[in-house]
Amino acid sequence: MRFVILGAGAMGSLFGARLAMSGHDVALIDVAREHIEAIAGGGLILDQDGVRKRITVEASATPTEIRPGDFLLVMTKANKLMEALISARRLIRDSGNIVVLCNGLGCGQAASQLVPVPRLLYGATAAGAMLDGPGQVRFTVDGETFIGPLAGPVPAGARVLAEALAGAGLPVQLSERIEEFIWTKLMVNVGYNAAGALTRVANGRVVGHPAGRQILEGAVREAMAVAAAKGIQLHYDDPVQFVVNLGLQVIGPNPSSMLQDVLRNRETEVEWLNGAVASEGARLGIPTPINQALAGLVKVLQDNYA
Ligand code: NAD
């Protein structure tokens, strides 16, 4: 099958590399010209457990240069989603399914302004990756990807996609209730992302510090209260403990992706994470002072990069 990946940063490059390695035809689109030129010139390097593989894939910074495929995977940050979709209108029109895999609240709903709902899939991934440099991606965390439709039953296209991703070593759970997975995944993001970005330390150091842990736990509790008010069932028995353990055991050495953005003076996804929890909380009358403060401080930081 042919997969076109719009937003080939860390996650898009990881998915692209794995799909290409399992025999699919892959094209990567990204506005980061240096990254695209490195891939087009010398291939995409995937570093997995210290073993580096060079993979040949098509790469372009111009969506109109790329032929549509069976699937258009959109893997930009949430804050760049609409801009990317607007640049790829022809690919949206001529591709099979469009699959939006950004972190944060409201990405599927936002994409439905430009993508016909019957061909739109969306979700979240618990896998992790980092870019080590132009054309070089490192696989950091093994994790499932959750995909489903915005409305209605899981379509046949989603099953075909899940099989292809699983064949590429990226296991997928399909669901008609994808919001539950998005909110469940959100617990980890609201805990670590902004706190890591503001303190400039790795996830393990946020949760390993008593003050960091208090803020992290408070942010997660607020998000749990908002989810409960919306009637959303979370998938962890004890979300606070799950998030704490994840930072202590699995993602401890990693800098949060928001910290990586801040270190590169890039606009962050905070409005779709802590900011979205605070907005939903305000709408529903649930107090979210910690998420509001984290989102506000990150906004001050990113508005003052210059
Ligand atoms: P990233 O910043 O590495 O990649 C995003 C890419 O999108 C960048 O290369 C950027 O140049 C590109 N882009 C921006 N605007 C574009 C446009 N208009 N057209 C085409 N490309 C454009 O981010 P990432 O870490 O790969 O994360 C992608 C999504 O996955 C985010 O929502 C993130 O929160 C989520 N996520 C990341 C991880 C991780 O470990 N990195 C894990 C789980 C989920």
Side-chain angles (χ1 to χ4, degrees):
M1 278 183 296
R2 178 167 167 84
F3 289 84
V4 176
I5 298 182
L6 179 63
M11 295 309 291
S13 294
L14 171 69
F15 274 54
R18 287 285 192 84
L19 285 163
M21 281 164 68
S22 71
H24 295 288
D25 178 17
V26 171
L28 305 181
I29 304 172
D30 202 293
V31 290
R33 285 192 178 271
E34 213 190 338
H35 181 53
I36 286 298
E37 278 162 18
I39 298 168
L44 173 63
I45 311 287
L46 172 65
D47 182 331
Q48 203 165 310
D49 302 324
V51 179
R52 283 160 65 88
K53 288 202 175 111
R54 187 182 297 272
I55 302 134
T56 304
V57 290
E58 217 181 314
S60 174
T62 313
T64 46
E65 281 179 7
I66 294 292
R67 267 187 310 114
D70 301 287
F71 293 96
L72 176 66
L73 302 189
V74 189
M75 303 189 81
T76 62
K77 290 266 164 68
N79 50 304
K80 299 291 181 189
L81 169 66
M82 295 310 278
E83 186 184 309
L85 289 176
I86 288 167
S87 76
R89 281 182 187 274
R90 186 187 55 88
L91 287 170
I92 293 172
R93 190 192 64 206
D94 297 336
S95 300
N97 284 104
I98 290 81
V99 190
V100 173
L101 285 175
C102 310
N103 263 338
L105 297 179
C107 293
Q109 291 77 358
S112 71
Q113 293 169 31
L114 292 171
V115 180
V117 171
R119 290 193 291 123
L120 174 61
L121 297 168
Y122 79 119
T125 180
M130 275 178 78
L131 288 184
D132 284 331
Q136 297 173 43
V137 61
R138 180 152 39 106
F139 177 53
T140 53
V141 185
D142 224 340
E144 270 187 313
T145 298
F146 310 98
I147 295 174
L150 193 66
V154 171
R159 296 187 201 287
V160 174
L161 172 68
E163 211 170 295
L165 288 173
L170 296 162
V172 173
Q173 263 195 57
L174 296 172
S175 172
E176 284 167 18
R177 299 203 308 268
I178 208 68
E179 278 305 294
E180 286 181 5
F181 290 91
I182 300 239
W183 274 85
T184 301
K185 172 86 203 295
L186 183 74
M187 299 299 136
V188 178
N189 295 129
V190 297
Y192 289 103
N193 262 307
L198 291 167
T199 56
R200 301 191 173 212
V201 296
N203 296 319
R205 290 186 183 265
V206 172
V207 69
H209 192 292
R213 180 162 173 166
Q214 199 178 359
I215 288 169
L216 177 149
E217 290 188 359
V220 175
R221 284 207 181 87
E222 290 176 7
M224 287 167 64
V226 177
K230 289 174 71 71
I232 287 174
Q233 177 107 41
L234 299 177
H235 294 178
Y236 309 137
D237 291 338
D238 182 344
V240 172
Q241 203 51 53
F242 178 89
V243 174
V244 166
N245 288 345
L246 196 72
L248 291 174
Q249 292 158 13
V250 183
I251 59 167
N254 305 340
S256 73
S257 63
M258 201 175 290
L259 171 54
Q260 294 174 50
D261 281 337
V262 163
L263 293 175
R264 293 188 183 112
N265 282 7
R266 285 202 199 143
E267 189 196 336
T268 72
E269 292 179 300
V270 77
E271 295 264 30
W272 283 262
L273 302 172
N274 308 81
V277 169
S279 310
E280 277 297 281
R283 200 174 62 78
L284 295 161
I286 310 283
T288 59
I290 297 175
N291 281 285
Q292 216 175 343
L294 287 170
L297 289 171
V298 173
K299 278 190 260 175
V300 172
L301 180 60
Q302 71 188 15
D303 288 347
N304 283 284
Y305 285 149

